[in-house]
Amino acid sequence: MPVQGLKCKECGERYPLDARYFCEKCFGPLEVDYDLAGLDAAETRRRIQAGPPSIWRYADFLPFERRPRTALAAGITPLVRADRLAEKLGIREVWVKNDAANPTHSFKDRVVTIALAKARELGYDVVACASTGNLANAVAAHAAAAGLESYVFIPADLEEQKILATGVYGTNLVAVRGSYDEVNRLCTQLADDRGWAFVNVNLRPYYAEGSKTLGFEIAEQLGFELPDRVVAPIASGSLFTRIARGFQEWIDVGLLEGRIPAMNGAQPAGCAPVAAAFEAGRDVCRPVRFPETIAKSLAIGDPADGPYAIELARRSGGGIDSVNDEEIREGIRLLAETTGVFTETAGGVTVAVLRKLAERGDIDPGERVVLTITGEGLKTLDAVRGTFEAREVEPTVESFEEAVGSPAAA
Ligand SMILES: *Cc1c(COP(=O)(O)O)cnc(C)c1O
Ligand SMILES: [Zn+2]
C-alpha cells in the first residue's frame, strides 16, 4: 500500500501512523502522506473497479497497510443527472451527488468508516466525537456495529430528530450547554487524558481521509472524468478541501486528465466565517462567536480548515458564498421539487449557493456542475414546516370538490 505515515502540513515533519493530530515542532496540522509514484494508472483502475461496492474500493488511497473489515461501510451513493434542476437554473448540466444515501444518511459515514477502522487497528475500546449532529449519528451507529463503546458530544440545542436518531444506537449521549466550538474545546481537553479515540480530534488526520472518497466517487461515476465545477458545503472546511485532494491524487496517478474543477463553497449567512474572509480577501477567518442559522450541521464558528478552503477556492477559480435562512428553505424546496431528493438544511445551503452562482452568471454555458448533497431532509424536518399547505377534507366527494374544484368546472 502507498501509505507512508503522517506529515506536518506546515513544516513537513514526519510521524508514524498513530493517534496524533498536531506537529510537535510547529503545532501545524498533520495529514496522511502517500507515495503514489509507484501506482500504475491502468492497474489501479482495474483494482478499483474489481473492488467492493463501498469506499474500500479506494484502498490504495486510504491510510491502511491492510484493508480493514467494517460492518457498516459507507459509499457508492447515487450520482444522478438533474436536468429539471439545470433547466430551472439555466445551466446545461447539473449532477446531484446524493450522500444522504449512506448508512446513517449523511456523508459523515465516510469519515467515520475510516476513523473507526483506524481506532480499532490502534486498539481503542472507546470512540468519541464532537459533533454538529450528523457525526454523532455516524459514530454511534458504526460503534454499535463494531461493538465499541461510544461517547458523542453535541450542542444541547440540536434538532430533536438528530438527537433521537443518535440515541437509538445505545451510545453515551452528552448534550453540552454551549456552541459547537465549546463542545469541540471540551473534547480536545478530554482527548488528552481519557485515552479515547476522538474521531475528529486525535484521529482527525484519518477522519479527513474519508472525505476524499467523495471526490473519487464523483470522478469514477462520471466515467473517470472531472466535472468543471463542484459546489459543496463548508463547516470546518475538511470535506470541501478533501474532495479536491481526491481529484488531485487521481490526476497525479494518471487516473484523471485535466485540472481541479472550480470549487465553490457554501455557508449559511448566520455562521459564515470562511465566506466572509473570502469576500474580504483575507487569508484567515474571524471566528463567529454566536452562530445563528437553521443549518446547524454547518454551525462551526472557528473552522480548522478555513484558510485551506479559502486558498483552494481562489486557486481553482471557484469561490465561497453564503445564503440566509429563507434562501436555505427555498433551496430545500427547489431540490425536492425538481429532483425528488429531500435534503437537510446543509443541502439547502448548497442548492441556494448554486442558484446564486447561476443567477449571477458565474457559470459558463457548457459547464458540467456537480452539487454535493451531504445530508437527509428527515433529520431537519422543522426547516420545511410552513412552506406548504395541506388541504383537510371530509371523507366525501363533495367535500373534496369543494376544496379542490369539480371536474365540470374545468
Ligand atoms: C459535517 C457536515 C458538513 C461539512 O463538514 P466539514 O466540517 O466542512 O467537513 C456538510 N454537510 C453536512 C450535512 C454535515 O453534517
Ligand atoms: Zn510542523
Side-chain angles (χ1 to χ4, degrees), residues 16-27:
L17 288 166
D18 54 20
R20 63 174 82 220
Y21 61 108
F22 62 86
C23 176
E24 282 163 17
K25 292 231 160 110
C26 76
F27 297 103

Side-chain angles (χ1 to χ4, degrees), residues 2-3 21 26 32 50 53 64 72 86 89 91 108 113 118 165 207 234 254-255 270 284 306 374 378 387:
V3 64
Y21 61 108
C26 76
V32 181
F64 299 91
L72 206 61
L89 296 173
I91 311 171
K108 291 296 197 306
T113 298
K118 186 52 81 176
Y207 165 100
I234 295 178
L255 282 168
V284 290
T374 47
L378 293 174
T387 67

Side-chain angles (χ1 to χ4, degrees), residues 107-108 132 134 233-239 297-298 300 344 346 374-375:
F107 97 92
K108 291 296 197 306
T132 56
N134 286 312
I234 295 178
S236 72
S238 178
L239 168 72
S297 55
L298 301 182
I300 295 185
E344 74 150 75
T374 47

Side-chain angles (χ1 to χ4, degrees), residues 36-37 39-45 48 61 224-226 246-258:
L36 300 173
L39 287 183
D40 174 76
E43 231 170 75
T44 306
R45 179 169 167 160
I48 291 168
F61 303 88
F224 288 87
E225 279 185 22
L226 285 162
F247 292 143
Q248 189 62 55
E249 287 180 356
W250 278 20
I251 292 169
D252 292 346
V253 168
L255 282 168
L256 297 173
E257 273 172 28

Side-chain angles (χ1 to χ4, degrees), residues 45-185:
R45 179 169 167 160
R46 258 196 306 279
R47 255 201 310 280
I48 291 168
Q49 288 173 322
S54 74
I55 59 174
W56 294 118
R57 68 203 277 107
Y58 309 118
D60 282 334
F61 303 88
L62 294 173
F64 299 91
E65 261 127 37
R66 255 172 302 125
R67 193 163 79 204
R69 291 207 354 221
T70 39
L72 206 61
I76 315 301
T77 60
L79 178 73
V80 290
R81 190 161 166 166
D83 285 340
R84 297 195 60 242
L85 176 61
E87 194 183 331
K88 199 105 189 198
L89 296 173
I91 311 171
R92 192 181 65 116
E93 198 176 329
V94 176
W95 296 76
V96 171
K97 177 61 172 166
N98 184 9
D99 241 26
N102 269 308
T104 68
H105 316 291
S106 86
F107 97 92
K108 291 296 197 306
D109 287 302
R110 296 179 185 275
V111 293
V112 172
T113 298
I114 302 300
L116 249 71
K118 186 52 81 176
R120 293 179 82 186
E121 189 189 271
L122 294 173
Y124 283 97
D125 300 318
V126 182
V127 292
C129 68
S131 174
T132 56
N134 286 312
L135 185 59
N137 271 205
V139 166
H142 289 249
L148 295 170
E149 196 181 353
S150 64
Y151 281 80
V152 301
F153 296 77
I154 54 170
D157 70 348
L158 209 58
E159 296 94 343
E160 192 187 13
Q161 290 100 4
K162 278 190 182 151
I163 296 176
L164 293 171
T166 299
V168 71
Y169 297 113
T171 182
N172 297 290
L173 189 55
V174 185
V176 180
R177 287 182 218 106
S179 68
Y180 169 80
D181 295 281
E182 291 169 303
V183 175
N184 189 49
R185 196 172 318 129

Side-chain angles (χ1 to χ4, degrees), residues 8-13 15 23-30:
C8 174
K9 215 171 150 98
E10 295 300 328
C11 78
E13 182 73 12
Y15 298 91
C23 176
E24 282 163 17
K25 292 231 160 110
C26 76
F27 297 103
L30 301 184

